[in-house]
Amino acid sequence: MNIFNLNPASPVLFWAEILGLLAIGSALVWFLYDAPTEIGIGNFKKFSQPFIENEKDLAGGLGWEFRTWVIVRVAGAVVGILVGIWSGVVVAILGLGAMGILGLPWVLKAVSEKNKLKLERVLVDSVRKLRDAMEANTAFDQALRDLAENPPDELAYMLAPLKGDSLIADGLVEANKRARSSLASLIIVVFLISRTRNQEALKNILSDVLIPVCSSALAIGEEASVTSSQQRTIIYIMVGIMGGAFLWVSGVTSMHEFYTNIAGQITLIVIGAMFMGLVYAVNKLMKSPDWTKWDISSMKKVFEGTGIV
């Protein structure tokens, strides 16, 4: 029994197979993204690096390995395509496949941002504890080691490289990679620059500059989180209304027949374009601030060359 009512020559089945092959090809590219230039994808690496870094930030915020995140992305696309095939409408296959690819990260981004904000809040509290330890005449490096040995649960993974006898500078670079947070990068830059200088000056920098700046950044982050939540609520309502309407008209035989012909396909494309325009407008009106990301590894090399680290 053919539950999709498709025959081998069906254009719907043809497009589904094309999209399936594209999804598989995309997954292979994702898994090979870090291949060396010699095997031919070095240019792709350079072009896609910002996007990949953003995806790694999302995965890190969710507490997932990057490859797990890739599998989830591909699974979302496959589910979207299967739902589109069930509808029997070619444009629905394309649109729902795209929603599976793009919509899933957008939904999970809220969880990732919430986890990252929690980590940053605990990190700023830990900076205060480092300042307090220094006021009790504990050297900064020792205070940092002590924090890494007995970290809050939220910072255990981030601070693990600072345990033991590893170099503090190397451990800070690795901690930054694990945190994948702009605020954490700012704090680590200050640590790298100041830790080998006068301890009294470092204590003053922590008290008078870093902690107030980080507290203000956290307040902005809280406001941005509220804005993002409001934005998502609006878009969820829009998706619910449009999805419910599409399911309803798909159950009407005459409407389903209309959406399977050329005029219906064009109508769906126009509706989809209008929806994406509304989503874009909401994102623009309720845009959250973007923070500067620091290349800590490169900065460490510069600092080492100038004798700062």
Side-chain angles (χ1 to χ4, degrees):
M1 179 179 179
N2 189 349
I3 62 173
F4 299 125
N5 194 29
L6 299 175
N7 59 64
S10 167
V12 175
L13 185 59
F14 170 76
W15 280 106
E17 291 170 344
I18 294 297
L19 285 170
L21 290 172
L22 287 174
I24 294 171
S26 298
L28 290 174
V29 171
W30 276 96
F31 277 94
L32 294 173
Y33 79 98
D34 59 349
T37 305
E38 303 89 79
I39 66 173
I41 63 170
N43 289 333
F44 171 78
K45 272 183 63 180
K46 184 177 180 180
F47 175 78
S48 63
Q49 197 65 31
F51 176 74
I52 291 174
E53 288 300 316
N54 183 62
E55 293 297 302
K56 286 183 176 181
D57 288 346
L58 267 173
L62 293 167
W64 295 352
E65 293 289 337
F66 182 57
R67 289 176 185 263
T68 302
W69 174 238
V70 173
I71 292 171
V72 171
R73 294 285 310 259
V74 174
V78 171
V79 171
I81 291 169
L82 290 176
V83 174
I85 293 174
W86 175 81
S87 73
V89 180
V90 175
V91 171
I93 297 173
L94 297 170
L96 291 172
M99 285 188 66
I101 295 171
L102 303 175
L104 183 62
W106 183 83
V107 172
L108 293 178
K109 187 177 181 180
V111 180
S112 178
E113 289 177 347
K114 182 179 179 180
N115 291 343
K116 189 172 294 184
L117 192 60
K118 185 177 180 180
L119 178 145
E120 291 173 345
R121 195 181 298 116
V122 175
L123 181 59
V124 173
D125 288 340
S126 296
V127 173
R128 292 191 181 96
K129 292 178 180 178
L130 287 174
R131 186 269 317 273
D132 294 342
M134 293 180 67
E135 288 181 344
N137 295 321
T138 302
F140 174 78
D141 283 6
Q142 184 58 50
L144 192 58
R145 294 279 194 199
D146 293 343
L147 178 62
E149 291 294 336
N150 299 285
D153 292 340
E154 294 83 356
L155 301 181
Y157 176 70
M158 173 188 169
L159 296 180
L162 290 164
K163 291 182 177 180
D165 298 326
S166 61
L167 294 175
I168 292 288
D170 292 340
L172 287 172
V173 172
E174 182 60 30
N176 175 69
K177 291 179 181 178
R178 295 183 174 209
R180 306 204 69 84
S181 159
S182 298
L183 187 60
S185 294
L186 172 62
I187 292 170
I188 289 171
V189 167
V190 173
F191 287 175
L192 281 174
I193 295 174
S194 306
R195 53 174 286 271
T196 58
R197 299 298 183 238
N198 183 279
Q199 294 288 293
E200 188 66 28
L202 174 55
K203 185 171 62 178
N204 292 335
I205 289 173
L206 296 183
S207 297
D208 301 336
V209 180
L210 187 61
I211 291 175
V213 167
C214 289
S215 298
S216 298
L218 277 178
I220 295 172
E222 297 280 2
E223 290 292 331
S225 179
V226 172
T227 299
S228 296
S229 177
Q230 294 170 343
Q231 170 188 329
R232 285 183 171 83
T233 300
I234 293 171
I235 295 177
Y236 287 150
I237 293 171
M238 292 164 54
V239 170
I241 293 172
M242 294 192 66
F246 180 73
L247 288 175
W248 181 78
V249 300
S250 295
V252 179
T253 303
S254 59
M255 294 298 295
H256 186 273
E257 291 176 353
F258 169 71
Y259 283 121
T260 56
N261 62 37
I262 296 298
Q265 305 283 318
I266 294 173
T267 301
L268 286 176
I269 291 172
V270 171
I271 293 172
M274 291 173 61
F275 174 74
M276 294 306 297
L278 288 171
V279 172
Y280 177 80
V282 170
N283 286 332
K284 280 295 183 183
L285 290 171
M286 307 180 73
K287 184 174 176 60
S288 300
D290 295 325
W291 298 101
T292 300
K293 290 188 176 181
W294 301 81
D295 187 347
I296 303 296
S297 298
S298 298
M299 294 183 71
K300 175 178 173 289
K301 292 177 182 178
V302 173
F303 293 158
E304 287 175 339
T306 56
I308 295 177
V309 176

